[in-house]
Amino acid sequence: MTSREEILAKIKTNQPGTKPLPADLTTVPGGMESITQFKTVLSAIGGAIVEVSNFEEIAQYIQQEFKNKKRLISTLPELASVTESGWENKDPHSYEDVDLAIIKAHFGVAENAALWVTEDLMQQRVVPFICQQLAVVVNKADIVATMHDAYSKIGDAEYGFGSFIAGPSKTADIEQSLVLGAHGPKSMTVFLLG
């Protein structure tokens, strides 16, 4: 018997007994505490929160805050009056000059202010990562407390591409100074709807 075989035989004979898996982790359902935490964390990581009641308020905010921007696109038909039409399904390089992209998220996560977005909500995978400014619409009722809750929501879902997005792009690699917008959107606005 080789030394390798000896080691493997000893391991095989000294296996610990089986134990049942621990109970599934459950957390407190989202609520006002989760929304407050989501807003606090998003602000801390460089994002901005705008609470709105409807899409008309979002359109007014966009017209006011982004009036000097040339190229505004949205995947939401409710915002067609303030954004470019016919931009969808083009060559990804054609989006390099997008000033503001507005998309919807399936849900948000309070503990880290991440928003879950899949390809069907983006129209084009590159859009939320190549634009200068990113705005995301999420319903207050769709804020979950933790990433455990988030993964339980998406665990069995079918999608081609999905991403958690939390705040504007950022890096602190250079001289340990935080730089926002280093390799993606310079800012992120979350419209909290509801």
Side-chain angles (χ1 to χ4, degrees), residues 54-126:
N54 52 49
F55 283 98
E56 291 80 32
E57 289 179 24
I58 296 173
Q60 290 171 357
Y61 183 91
I62 291 166
Q63 286 177 317
Q64 182 180 5
E65 297 299 319
F66 297 99
K67 61 184 169 202
N68 296 328
K69 303 296 179 190
K70 294 178 183 159
R71 191 158 186 214
L72 312 177
I73 64 172
S74 176
T75 60
L76 300 159
E78 296 90 345
L79 299 174
S81 64
V82 293
T83 58
E84 178 181 319
S85 61
W87 64 270
E88 303 90 343
N89 302 315
K90 305 281 192 224
D91 176 54
H93 296 95
S94 68
Y95 305 119
E96 67 182 356
D97 62 345
V98 170
D99 291 307
L100 174 68
I102 309 147
I103 61 176
K104 184 161 178 41
H106 291 286
F107 61 87
V109 183
E111 75 175 348
N112 60 6
L115 295 155
W116 176 246
V117 184
T118 54
E119 187 172 36
D120 60 314
L121 298 179
M122 297 179 199
Q123 293 290 330
Q124 182 62 261
R125 289 182 187 183
V126 73

Side-chain angles (χ1 to χ4, degrees), residues 13-193:
T13 60
N14 290 307
Q15 292 291 315
T18 59
K19 293 183 179 181
L21 290 172
D24 287 342
L25 180 67
T26 57
T27 59
V28 178
M32 285 311 293
E33 299 83 21
S34 291
I35 293 167
T36 301
Q37 184 180 15
F38 181 86
K39 294 190 304 190
T40 302
V41 173
L42 184 65
S43 297
I45 63 173
I49 287 278
V50 178
E51 292 189 61
V52 292
S53 302
N54 52 49
F55 283 98
E56 291 80 32
E57 289 179 24
I58 296 173
Q60 290 171 357
Y61 183 91
I62 291 166
Q63 286 177 317
Q64 182 180 5
E65 297 299 319
F66 297 99
K67 61 184 169 202
N68 296 328
K69 303 296 179 190
K70 294 178 183 159
R71 191 158 186 214
L72 312 177
I73 64 172
S74 176
T75 60
L76 300 159
E78 296 90 345
L79 299 174
S81 64
V82 293
T83 58
E84 178 181 319
S85 61
W87 64 270
E88 303 90 343
N89 302 315
K90 305 281 192 224
D91 176 54
H93 296 95
S94 68
Y95 305 119
E96 67 182 356
D97 62 345
V98 170
D99 291 307
L100 174 68
I102 309 147
I103 61 176
K104 184 161 178 41
H106 291 286
F107 61 87
V109 183
E111 75 175 348
N112 60 6
L115 295 155
W116 176 246
V117 184
T118 54
E119 187 172 36
D120 60 314
L121 298 179
M122 297 179 199
Q123 293 290 330
Q124 182 62 261
R125 289 182 187 183
V126 73
V127 166
F129 309 106
I130 198 171
C131 60
Q132 294 297 309
Q133 325 279 328
L134 177 63
V136 182
V137 177
V138 66
N139 292 313
K140 282 183 182 179
D142 295 330
I143 303 293
V144 299
T146 67
M147 287 299 287
H148 294 288
D149 300 316
Y151 282 117
S152 69
K153 286 178 79 83
I154 65 174
D156 295 329
E158 289 190 28
Y159 48 87
F161 173 80
S163 180
F164 282 104
I165 302 173
S169 76
K170 56 191 101 29
T171 184
D173 292 345
I174 302 167
E175 297 181 8
Q176 297 179 345
S177 297
L178 182 63
V179 177
L180 297 179
H183 45 72
K186 295 174 186 170
S187 73
M188 180 178 184
T189 303
V190 174
F191 292 106
L192 208 48
L193 186 62

